[in-house]
């Protein structure tokens, strides 16, 4: 356990540094979008491209793995909506609660953390889950958020919301960087050396800046939610969802994965381990931006992300100890 904490501690320490920098005013809140932009449009795509290009194409096209993870995501979405859809939590808030309870922070935290723990081979399964969550899980939850009749700015239907979500995926550089890396992997191509060096520098910056940015985003969300006295959130509306994310999600992935293997589905043991640990990650911080865009209770979403991230230092390390012998 101590060996695991030695690996995981720096990652969560960087999140804490970003959180404290924003809370104490050392990082102006107006600067956070700039950090987000650097990570999203420059550093993280380069990191994902590098992993995609260095991963055998067969691992990036693992249909059994993708379907196993997708099935678990659909079950999680249905369960969280079912247990939270009541009282003042309508379809809009329940749907984004389901998304934040299902979508792990794979891009900003999961890929660099699992590569540090398990080696570069962990990147392949992680990339598969990123595509599933970005394309299918997010679009489904955004469509579900429209079922209650509440509308986002401009008033859109479920179909229009899902279409808008898919357009957002198309405008996101992360899937395209993964695709480009997969093409280079399949064709065994290499970038010109000066370009490869530039990509390498940006890729190396992705992990520390992304983790620092997560902390800053969490601090900003908490500060904004604290100032919004008109929308007080009771702990019962966010703590259970955070616990579902950290405990139920990885357990479900493990049970479904083991059951699939027992039924003859070919799933590599190492890949299944990576899948379970990805599910044990805290909630993705970008869900807060989607919730704000579609008019959900962002104070509740921000608290779920904050609680899951803080608790994950212990729960994720425990999951690693149970799943992996280091």
């Amino acid at each position: 356990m101590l060996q695991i904490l030695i690996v995981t501690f720096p990652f969560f320490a960087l999140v804490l540094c970003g959180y404290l920098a924003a809370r104490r005013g050392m990082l102006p809140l107006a600067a956070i979008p700039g950090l987000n932009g650097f990570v999203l449009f420059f550093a993280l795509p380069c990191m994902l491209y590098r992993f995609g290009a260095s991963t055998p194409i067969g691992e990036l096209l693992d249909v059994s793995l993708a379907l196993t993870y997708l099935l678990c995501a659909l079950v999680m979405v249905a369960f969280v909506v079912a247990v939270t859809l009541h009282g003042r939590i309508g379809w809009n808030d329940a749907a984004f609660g389901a998304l934040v309870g299902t979508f792990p922070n794979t891009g900003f935290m999961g890929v660099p953390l699992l590569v540090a723990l398990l080696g570069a081979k962990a990147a392949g399964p992680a990339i598969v889950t990123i595509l599933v969550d970005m394309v299918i899980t997010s679009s489904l939850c955004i469509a579900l958020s429209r079922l209650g009749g509440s509308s986002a700015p401009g008033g859109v239907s479920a179909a229009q919301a899902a279409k808008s979500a898919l357009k957002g995926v198309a405008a996101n550089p992360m899937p395209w960087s993964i695709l480009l890396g997969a093409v280079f992997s399949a064709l065994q191509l290499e970038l010109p050396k000066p370009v490869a060096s530039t990509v390498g520098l940006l890729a190396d910056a992705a992990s520390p800046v992304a983790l620092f940015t997560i902390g800053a985003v969490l601090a900003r969300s908490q500060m904004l939610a604290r100032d919004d006295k008109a929308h007080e959130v009771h702990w019962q509306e966010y703590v259970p969802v955070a616990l579902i994310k950290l405990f139920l999600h990885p357990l479900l992935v493990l049970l479904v994965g083991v059951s699939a293997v027992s039924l003859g589905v070919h799933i590599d043991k190492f890949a299944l381990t990576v899948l379970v640990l990805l599910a044990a990650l805290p909630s993705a911080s970008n869900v807060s931006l989607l919730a704000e865009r579609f008019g959900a209770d962002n104070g509740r979403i921000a608290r779920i992300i904050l609680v899951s991230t803080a608790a994950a230092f212990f729960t994720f390390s425990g999951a690693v100890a149970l799943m992996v012998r280091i």
Side-chain angles (χ1 to χ4, degrees):
M1 189 65 180
L2 180 60
Q3 290 176 305
I4 295 168
L5 289 173
I6 288 173
V7 177
T8 59
F9 177 81
F11 290 83
F12 287 93
L14 282 173
V15 175
L16 179 61
C17 287
Y19 180 87
L20 292 176
R23 285 301 301 264
R24 294 182 177 275
M26 292 180 282
L27 178 70
L29 297 186
I32 296 176
L35 284 176
N36 252 327
F38 171 76
V39 173
L40 181 60
F41 294 104
F42 293 93
L44 195 56
C46 289
M47 184 184 74
L48 293 175
Y49 162 80
R50 186 167 66 179
F51 283 129
S54 60
T55 302
I57 189 66
E59 294 182 20
L60 297 176
L61 300 176
D62 193 332
V63 177
S64 299
L65 203 67
L67 291 178
T68 299
Y69 184 78
L70 175 60
L71 175 60
C72 295
L74 296 178
V75 172
M76 285 292 298
V77 168
F79 178 75
V80 176
V81 168
V83 299
T84 59
L85 186 62
H86 61 80
R88 78 182 195 93
I89 299 180
W91 274 102
N92 197 18
D93 290 327
F96 280 102
L99 181 59
V100 81
T102 304
F103 196 160
N105 207 335
T106 308
F108 279 33
M109 179 179 288
V111 174
L113 181 52
L114 287 177
V115 168
L117 282 166
L118 305 176
K121 190 179 178 182
I127 288 173
V128 171
T129 67
I130 289 174
L131 293 175
V132 170
D133 281 326
M134 290 188 64
V135 177
I136 302 177
T137 311
S138 297
S139 300
L140 171 63
C141 289
I142 290 173
L144 289 175
S145 73
R146 306 297 92 193
L147 294 181
S150 60
S151 57
V156 295
S157 65
Q160 290 172 323
K163 185 177 179 180
S164 175
L166 289 174
K167 285 183 178 180
V169 171
N172 191 316
M174 289 170 58
W176 296 109
S177 61
I178 293 171
L179 177 61
L180 183 61
V183 170
F184 271 65
S185 174
L187 300 179
Q188 296 185 335
L189 300 175
E190 292 185 5
L191 293 171
K193 192 169 182 179
V195 177
S197 298
T198 304
V199 169
L201 286 172
L202 287 169
D204 291 339
S207 179
V209 179
L211 293 168
F212 187 89
T213 303
I214 290 172
V217 169
L218 290 176
R220 181 184 63 180
S221 299
Q222 186 185 38
M223 292 161 70
L224 293 176
R226 180 195 60 195
D227 294 338
D228 187 8
K229 300 299 183 183
H231 297 89
E232 293 290 345
V233 183
H234 194 274
W235 69 267
Q236 292 178 335
E237 295 181 357
Y238 61 90
V239 172
V241 178
L243 296 178
I244 286 171
K245 175 70 198 74
L246 296 177
F247 292 100
L248 183 59
H249 192 195
L251 180 60
L252 176 64
V253 171
L254 178 61
L255 292 177
V256 171
V258 170
S259 300
V261 171
S262 67
L263 293 173
V265 179
H266 176 69
I267 299 178
D268 180 72
K269 183 180 179 181
F270 176 83
L272 179 57
T273 298
V274 173
L275 230 60
V276 173
L277 294 180
L278 288 169
L281 288 167
S283 302
S285 54
N286 65 309
V287 178
S288 176
L289 301 176
L290 286 173
E292 185 173 345
R293 176 183 173 189
F294 285 92
D297 186 348
N298 197 29
R300 172 175 174 258
I301 299 301
R303 286 174 171 84
I304 294 171
I305 297 170
L306 181 63
V307 170
S308 67
T309 303
F313 175 67
F314 302 100
T315 61
F316 179 80
S317 299
V320 175
L322 291 173
M323 295 295 298
V324 183
R325 291 181 180 179
I326 297 182

